[in-house]
Coordinates of all heavy atoms in Angstrom, one line a residue:
T163 N -8.3 2.5 -14.3 CA -7.8 3.5 -15.5 C -9.1 3.9 -16.4 O -9.0 4.5 -17.4 CB -6.7 2.9 -16.2 OG1 -7.1 1.5 -16.5 CG2 -5.4 2.9 -15.5
L168 N -10.4 10.4 -14.6 CA -9.1 10.7 -15.3 C -9.2 11.5 -16.5 O -8.2 12.0 -16.9 CB -8.5 9.3 -15.6 CG -8.1 8.4 -14.4 CD1 -7.5 7.1 -14.9 CD2 -7.3 9.1 -13.4
E171 N -10.2 15.6 -14.7 CA -9.4 16.3 -13.8 C -7.8 16.2 -14.1 O -7.4 15.0 -14.7 CB -9.6 16.0 -12.3 CG -10.9 16.4 -11.9 CD -11.1 16.2 -10.4 OE1 -10.2 16.4 -9.7 OE2 -12.3 16.1 -9.9
Q172 N -6.9 17.1 -13.7 CA -5.6 16.8 -14.0 C -4.8 16.7 -12.6 O -5.1 17.3 -11.6 CB -5.0 18.1 -14.6 CG -5.5 18.2 -16.1 CD -4.9 19.4 -16.8 OE1 -4.4 20.3 -16.2 NE2 -4.9 19.4 -18.1
F173 N -3.9 15.7 -12.7 CA -3.0 15.5 -11.5 C -1.6 15.6 -11.8 O -1.1 15.5 -13.0 CB -3.4 14.1 -10.9 CG -4.8 13.8 -10.6 CD1 -5.8 13.3 -11.6 CD2 -5.4 14.2 -9.4 CE1 -7.1 13.1 -11.2 CE2 -6.6 14.1 -9.0 CZ -7.5 13.4 -10.0
I176 N 1.3 10.8 -9.2 CA 0.5 9.6 -8.9 C 1.2 8.7 -8.0 O 2.5 8.4 -8.3 CB 0.1 8.8 -10.2 CG1 -0.8 9.7 -11.1 CG2 -0.7 7.5 -9.8 CD1 -1.2 9.1 -12.4
L185 N -0.9 -1.9 -11.8 CA 0.2 -0.9 -11.7 C 0.8 -0.6 -13.1 O 1.1 0.5 -13.4 CB 1.3 -1.4 -10.8 CG 1.0 -1.6 -9.4 CD1 2.2 -2.1 -8.6 CD2 0.5 -0.3 -8.7
K186 N 0.8 -1.6 -14.0 CA 1.4 -1.4 -15.3 C 0.4 -0.5 -16.1 O 0.9 0.4 -16.9 CB 1.6 -2.7 -16.0 CG 2.7 -3.6 -15.5 CD 2.9 -4.9 -16.2 CE 4.3 -5.5 -15.7 NZ 4.5 -6.8 -16.5
S187 N -0.9 -0.7 -15.9 CA -1.9 0.1 -16.6 C -1.8 1.4 -16.1 O -1.9 2.5 -16.9 CB -3.3 -0.5 -16.2 OG -4.4 0.4 -16.9
V188 N -1.7 1.7 -14.8 CA -1.6 3.1 -14.2 C -0.3 3.8 -14.8 O -0.3 4.9 -15.1 CB -1.6 3.2 -12.7 CG1 -1.1 4.4 -12.1 CG2 -2.9 2.6 -12.2
A189 N 0.8 2.9 -14.9 CA 2.2 3.5 -15.3 C 2.0 4.0 -16.8 O 2.5 4.9 -17.1 CB 3.2 2.5 -15.2
R190 N 1.3 3.2 -17.5 CA 1.2 3.5 -19.0 C 0.3 4.8 -19.1 O 0.6 5.7 -20.0 CB 0.4 2.4 -19.7 CG 1.4 1.2 -20.0 CD 0.8 0.2 -21.0 NE -0.4 -0.5 -20.5 CZ -0.4 -1.7 -19.8 NH1 0.7 -2.2 -19.7 NH2 -1.5 -2.1 -19.4
F191 N -0.7 5.0 -18.2 CA -1.4 6.1 -18.2 C -0.7 7.4 -17.9 O -0.7 8.4 -18.5 CB -2.7 6.0 -17.2 CG -3.4 7.4 -17.0 CD1 -4.4 7.8 -17.9 CD2 -3.1 8.1 -15.9 CE1 -5.0 9.0 -17.6 CE2 -3.7 9.2 -15.5 CZ -4.7 9.8 -16.5
A192 N 0.1 7.2 -16.7 CA 0.9 8.3 -16.4 C 2.0 8.8 -17.3 O 2.2 9.9 -17.5 CB 1.6 7.9 -15.0
E193 N 2.6 7.8 -18.0 CA 3.6 8.1 -19.0 C 3.0 8.9 -20.2 O 3.4 9.8 -20.7 CB 4.3 6.7 -19.6 CG 5.3 7.1 -20.6 CD 5.9 5.8 -21.2 OE1 5.2 5.1 -21.6 OE2 7.1 5.8 -21.4
A194 N 1.7 8.5 -20.6 CA 1.1 9.0 -21.7 C 0.8 10.5 -21.4 O 0.7 11.4 -22.3 CB -0.2 8.3 -22.1
K195 N 0.4 10.7 -20.0 CA 0.0 12.0 -19.6 C 1.2 13.0 -19.2 O 1.0 14.0 -18.8 CB -1.0 11.9 -18.6 CG -2.3 11.3 -19.0 CD -3.1 12.2 -20.0 CE -4.4 11.6 -20.3 NZ -5.2 12.5 -21.2
G196 N 2.4 12.3 -19.1 CA 3.6 13.0 -18.7 C 3.6 13.4 -17.1 O 4.0 14.4 -16.8
I197 N 2.9 12.4 -16.4 CA 2.8 12.6 -15.0 C 3.8 11.8 -14.2 O 3.9 10.6 -14.5 CB 1.3 12.3 -14.5 CG1 0.2 13.1 -15.3 CG2 1.2 12.5 -13.0 CD1 -1.1 12.7 -15.0
E198 N 4.5 12.3 -13.3 CA 5.3 11.5 -12.4 C 4.6 10.4 -11.7 O 3.4 10.7 -11.2 CB 6.2 12.4 -11.3 CG 6.9 11.6 -10.4 CD 7.7 12.4 -9.4 OE1 7.7 13.6 -9.5 OE2 8.3 11.8 -8.5
C199 N 5.2 9.3 -11.6 CA 4.4 8.1 -11.0 C 5.3 7.2 -10.3 O 6.3 6.8 -10.7 CB 3.6 7.3 -12.1 SG 2.6 5.9 -11.5
D236 N 10.0 4.6 -8.8 CA 9.6 5.5 -9.9 C 9.4 4.6 -11.1 O 10.2 3.8 -11.4 CB 10.5 6.6 -10.1 CG 10.0 7.5 -11.1 OD1 9.7 7.3 -12.3 OD2 9.8 8.9 -10.7
I237 N 8.4 4.8 -11.9 CA 8.1 3.9 -13.1 C 9.1 4.1 -14.1 O 9.5 3.1 -14.9 CB 6.8 4.1 -13.7 CG1 6.6 5.7 -14.2 CG2 5.6 3.9 -12.8 CD1 5.4 5.9 -15.1
K238 N 9.9 5.1 -14.1 CA 11.0 5.4 -15.0 C 12.1 4.5 -14.8 O 12.9 4.1 -15.6 CB 11.5 6.8 -15.1 CG 10.4 7.7 -15.6 CD 11.0 9.2 -15.4 CE 9.9 10.3 -16.0 NZ 10.5 11.6 -15.9
W242 N 9.0 -1.8 -17.4 CA 7.6 -2.1 -17.9 C 7.3 -1.3 -19.1 O 6.4 -1.8 -20.0 CB 6.6 -1.6 -16.7 CG 6.6 -2.3 -15.6 CD1 7.3 -3.5 -15.2 CD2 5.8 -2.1 -14.3 NE1 7.1 -4.0 -14.0 CE2 6.2 -3.1 -13.4 CE3 5.0 -1.1 -14.0 CZ2 5.7 -3.2 -12.1 CZ3 4.5 -1.1 -12.6 CH2 4.8 -2.2 -11.7
L243 N 7.7 -0.2 -19.3 CA 7.4 0.8 -20.4 C 8.2 0.6 -21.6 O 8.0 1.5 -22.5 CB 7.3 2.2 -19.9 CG 6.5 2.6 -18.6 CD1 6.6 3.9 -18.1 CD2 5.1 2.3 -18.8
H244 N 9.1 -0.4 -21.7 CA 10.0 -0.5 -22.9 C 9.6 -1.7 -23.6 O 9.1 -2.6 -23.1 CB 11.4 -0.6 -22.3 CG 11.9 0.6 -21.5 ND1 12.2 1.8 -22.0 CD2 12.0 0.8 -20.1 CE1 12.4 2.7 -21.0 NE2 12.4 2.1 -19.9

Side-chain angles (χ1 to χ4, degrees):
T163 47
L168 299 181
E171 298 189 23
Q172 293 185 339
F173 301 94
I176 297 175
L185 294 182
K186 289 184 176 181
S187 181
V188 171
R190 287 192 293 268
F191 168 82
E193 184 189 41
K195 296 293 184 179
I197 305 172
E198 179 179 350
C199 181
D236 188 299
I237 59 170
K238 294 179 181 179
W242 295 353
L243 306 175
H244 301 286

